[in-house]
Amino acid sequence: MNQETMDLFKVLTELPGTSGNEHFVRNFMREQLTKYADEIVQDGLGSIFGIKHSEKDGPKIMVAGHMDEVGFMVTAITKNGMIRFQPLGGWSPQVLQAQRVQIFTDNGPVDGVIGSIPPHLLRGTEHKNKVTEIKDLLIDIGADDKEDAIRIGIKPGQQIVPICPFTPLANPKKIMAKAWDNRYGCGLAIELLKELQGVTLPNTLYSGATVQEEVGLRGARTSAYMIKPDLYFALDASAANDMTGDKNQFGHLGEGVLLRIYDPTMVTHRGLREFILDMAESNHIPYQYFVSGGGTDAGQVHLANEGVPSAVIGICARYIHSHASIIHVDDYLAAKELLIKLVKAADKTTVASIKVNV
């Protein structure tokens, strides 16, 4: 990555933006998309896209990441000033205790920690080995009591996000941050429009990001009905499974863009899958096949209107849906190269042939 891209992702990953609270991310995306797009559109839930007009009668190509990250919402304050919370997105209780978080109040962010009982106070093997359910966890912001927490600015409905700064690791090709799922897709949607400045496309390109993916792919549905695309490319980070080095597992950092062939929400359209595979192989872009246990926005978009051939242009990231995740720079660059070539090639004839190749 060049420094400009690194700076872009530092801002994107450090911004707070849980499901239903994407406004900080959307404001930044609007600022960036406006630099490169001919027009900006936004749906009623807050998904936002930059439009590049080229071929008037060409197909509409929709490209989207999602702005929301997994996080939490304040639901109540206890008498002694602890914060009860609701998870937004899929969290394992094993990754939560003793982790730092920020609650975003009208007065600014408030730091806190998800409480954890020290081993000294646990009695018996049964309690030491038991994972506390999320509903029983509390956030400690240092308040003396409920009235003190209210004075600080805490109230139900506020978003809570993990704390993890953007951190290039000792191997500079690996970067740790929160929210790679899915600020990766937000950044790539911006850079797609940037790279296509001055290029005449054989289509109309809608490139941006949706809202509320982590709680049910909601913004994808409303955006698809607004845009009515002919093809859709979801940009998302998927779970790497390479800690042990087992090559039989899907998702290895540094081995290229993901060619997702199946997940519980979508069987990738055969014609579009072959189009992507041919583009990657003919241009010597590294890729890896991927089968996922989780879905993406493509699960909604491909069911919109009369049906939209959809695919995921993804990368894998270690430890997604936790406080800190890691991506590989080479995977991002492969995804970026592939996406640009796919969009440039998506003319009327190509899209028609994809649609009949089912």
Side-chain angles (χ1 to χ4, degrees), residues 104-217:
F104 281 80
T105 75
D106 295 340
N107 304 324
V110 173
D111 288 356
V113 63
I114 299 174
S116 174
I117 300 174
H120 314 67
L121 302 179
L122 294 172
R123 294 291 181 265
T125 304
E126 178 184 350
H127 294 291
K128 284 187 177 181
N129 296 332
K130 184 178 179 182
V131 176
T132 306
E133 294 184 42
I134 294 176
K135 65 182 179 62
D136 297 322
L137 295 173
L138 297 166
I139 294 172
D140 187 345
I141 61 167
D144 292 330
D145 50 32
K146 182 174 183 178
E147 289 69 29
D148 192 27
I150 292 171
R151 178 192 61 77
I152 291 169
I154 306 299
K155 59 185 177 183
Q158 292 168 334
Q159 69 167 323
I160 308 167
V161 301
I163 294 176
C164 180
F166 181 87
T167 308
L169 298 177
N171 178 341
K173 287 197 171 185
K174 293 175 183 172
I175 305 172
M176 180 171 66
K178 75 171 181 65
W180 279 124
D181 178 12
N182 182 31
R183 304 296 159 68
Y184 146 73
C186 295
L188 182 50
I190 293 167
E191 290 217 310
L192 175 63
L193 285 170
K194 178 183 175 182
E195 295 294 334
L196 292 175
Q197 287 184 99
V199 176
T200 300
L201 297 175
N203 52 57
T204 298
L205 172 62
Y206 291 74
S207 188
T210 63
V211 297
Q212 299 190 46
E213 190 269 357
E214 297 291 0
V215 291
L217 318 180

Side-chain angles (χ1 to χ4, degrees), residues 15-66:
L15 282 170
T18 59
S19 306
N21 293 281
E22 298 93 346
H23 45 284
F24 292 115
V25 183
R26 180 169 50 252
N27 290 344
F28 179 73
M29 286 206 67
R30 179 183 293 277
E31 172 190 307
Q32 296 299 309
L33 293 170
T34 299
K35 296 178 182 178
Y36 313 118
D38 300 320
E39 181 183 354
I40 304 293
V41 292
Q42 182 175 317
D43 72 14
L45 292 187
S47 302
I48 189 169
F49 292 83
I51 307 175
K52 178 176 175 58
H53 296 290
S54 291
E55 183 66 36
K56 185 177 180 181
D57 298 321
K60 292 188 207 176
I61 310 301
M62 177 179 170
V63 176
H66 65 83

